[in-house]
Amino acid sequence: MSESPILPVRGRPVRPSGRHRRPVPSQLPPEAPALVLAALGDATGTAAELAALIRVDNPQIQVRLAGLGEDAKELTSELESAARERPENATAAIVVPLLTGPHPVADRLISMAVAASGVPVTVTDPLGPHPLLAEALHIRLSEKSLARADRMRLLNISNPVDTPVDGVILATVGGESAAAEAQPTAVLLASRLTLPVLVASLDSAPTVADAAGRLRGIGAQRIALSPCVLGPEAAPGLASAAAEEIGAECADLLGPHDLIADLAARAYGSILSAD
């Protein structure tokens, strides 16, 4: 174990494009870094289901899961365990935060865990922005009949006068930085829906009420709230309560969607391909 802690290295590699392009090589050497999923809270529910999806689709990857809790000790333990199974000084793990955008609490806890482990680790960016994230949001809206979509490509096929809603609020958590980082995803979602999409924060500014006011100011009366949230990072009922306050309907949280699992595998694979 190194005496001086090794701080996480954040990478911003270009992710592979194309829905059907394999995000991870079909074969990996035994010493390949573990994929360690880091989830706010504990390692149950959505986080556990996403880990299971990734394992099924990518049996060549050693997938580990750690809840960050209040002190990130579980993540530290997973990183140390991964290091013991790999050559000395080799990258032990690639940590993928199960988040759609930056989150100050998660960022701090992950940094603490990596420093405490003292092993070589790479921490990826969050899962968004990305076209697949916009697609998952579109699907969740369509499941609640808040967006029309064809069965093949989830592209809008309705006439502008026959849309279920007039505008969408993309709701984030993680403060103003998370809201700012979600802007590209909002643009991607707007292009799929051919509707105005504004970003709002469930725990900071700009608020959901502010976004609703702006949409109604341009004539949108029927508004849907689309939570850009996996689940563990938001208090239960937070998104639906925000929607109710502005008289909007609310899509389900992203949860353990297969496109989210794909994004996590892509984040891991992009670090491998950059090495």
Side-chain angles (χ1 to χ4, degrees):
M1 195 75 72
S2 172
E3 293 183 359
S4 59
I6 300 174
L7 297 178
V9 177
R10 284 196 179 270
R12 278 189 178 269
V14 177
R15 287 172 177 158
S17 60
R19 169 75 185 274
H20 300 290
R21 183 170 177 177
R22 190 171 185 87
V24 183
S26 58
Q27 293 185 330
L28 291 173
E31 66 272 15
L35 164 54
V36 181
L37 301 168
L40 280 168
D42 58 29
T44 62
T46 291
E49 291 181 60
L50 284 169
L53 286 172
I54 297 170
R55 290 186 181 107
V56 169
D57 291 340
N58 302 275
Q60 75 278 27
I61 305 176
Q62 183 188 61
V63 179
R64 294 170 175 261
L65 172 63
L68 293 173
E70 296 182 356
D71 53 17
K73 288 185 177 179
E74 185 177 332
L75 178 56
T76 299
S77 176
E78 288 292 341
L79 297 178
E80 291 173 344
S81 177
R84 287 193 291 270
E85 298 175 2
R86 284 160 179 81
E88 187 176 0
N89 298 323
T91 300
I94 296 172
V95 178
V96 177
L98 287 179
L99 295 161
T100 60
H103 193 289
V105 173
D107 291 345
R108 176 178 57 81
L109 289 172
I110 291 171
S111 293
M112 285 173 47
V114 174
S117 72
V119 300
V121 171
T122 298
V123 181
T124 75
D125 288 330
L127 304 180
H130 194 280
L132 292 183
L133 180 57
E135 183 175 348
L137 291 163
H138 189 173
I139 290 171
R140 289 295 187 234
L141 285 164
S142 68
E143 289 170 347
K144 285 295 186 77
S145 299
L146 299 173
R148 299 189 188 280
D150 69 19
R151 289 189 295 247
M152 295 299 294
R153 297 187 181 182
L154 270 296
L155 298 178
N156 190 291
I157 59 171
S158 60
N159 296 321
V161 296
D162 192 33
T163 55
V165 297
D166 306 315
V168 174
I169 297 173
L170 185 67
T172 65
V173 295
E176 294 185 36
S177 62
E181 290 286 339
Q183 291 292 343
T185 299
V187 172
L188 291 166
L189 183 59
S191 69
R192 298 180 67 88
L193 302 176
T194 62
L195 289 171
V197 177
L198 297 183
V199 177
S201 175
L202 293 170
D203 57 8
S204 182
T207 67
V208 170
D210 290 339
R214 289 175 58 195
L215 284 172
R216 291 192 170 114
I218 61 173
Q221 296 303 314
R222 300 166 299 171
I223 297 174
L225 189 141
S226 177
C228 193
V229 174
L230 300 187
E233 65 271 42
L238 181 63
S240 57
E244 185 176 354
E245 287 180 5
I246 62 168
E249 296 190 66
C250 188
D252 289 336
L253 304 183
L254 288 166
H257 197 286
D258 60 349
L259 292 178
I260 302 301
D262 187 15
L263 278 173
R266 285 172 181 267
Y268 171 86
S270 64
I271 297 296
L272 290 183
S273 64
D275 290 341

